[in-house]
Amino acid sequence: MDYQRCLMDSFSVIGKEGSTNDGKDFVQRLWKDANTHLNEVAELYKKDEHGNPVGFWGAMSDFSHSFMP
């Protein structure tokens, strides 16, 4: 696999927090919960030319929270 390094402008991540301690299918439940409440942050997320949300990502860290969510 080839990797490319790039520089980006600063950005913020808005989301839900969960872990493997939450049991089987925790990722699917997090996405469902996030999508259910998407309207609560609608004015904050990036939109395309038609007003549809774009740029959804899953971000993760370890139990130390070294990425400081």
Side-chain angles (χ1 to χ4, degrees):
M1 179 182 293
D2 292 327
Y3 293 94
Q4 294 182 351
R5 184 179 179 127
C6 63
L7 297 177
M8 298 177 63
D9 292 333
S10 296
F11 62 93
S12 296
V13 175
I14 301 169
K16 301 286 187 170
E17 185 175 9
S19 80
T20 54
N21 289 336
D22 297 330
K24 183 180 174 192
D25 300 325
F26 79 97
V27 173
Q28 291 86 345
R29 288 193 309 274
L30 282 172
W31 277 110
K32 183 177 180 181
D33 188 25
N35 287 329
T36 299
H37 296 278
L38 195 58
N39 63 322
E40 296 173 19
V41 294
E43 62 189 53
L44 302 174
Y45 57 70
K46 184 177 179 179
K47 300 174 185 82
D48 66 14
E49 64 276 2
H50 304 290
N52 300 311
V54 296
F56 287 91
W57 293 83
M60 66 180 83
S61 186
D62 58 17
F63 287 109
S64 72
H65 285 109
S66 58
F67 289 156
M68 298 170 48

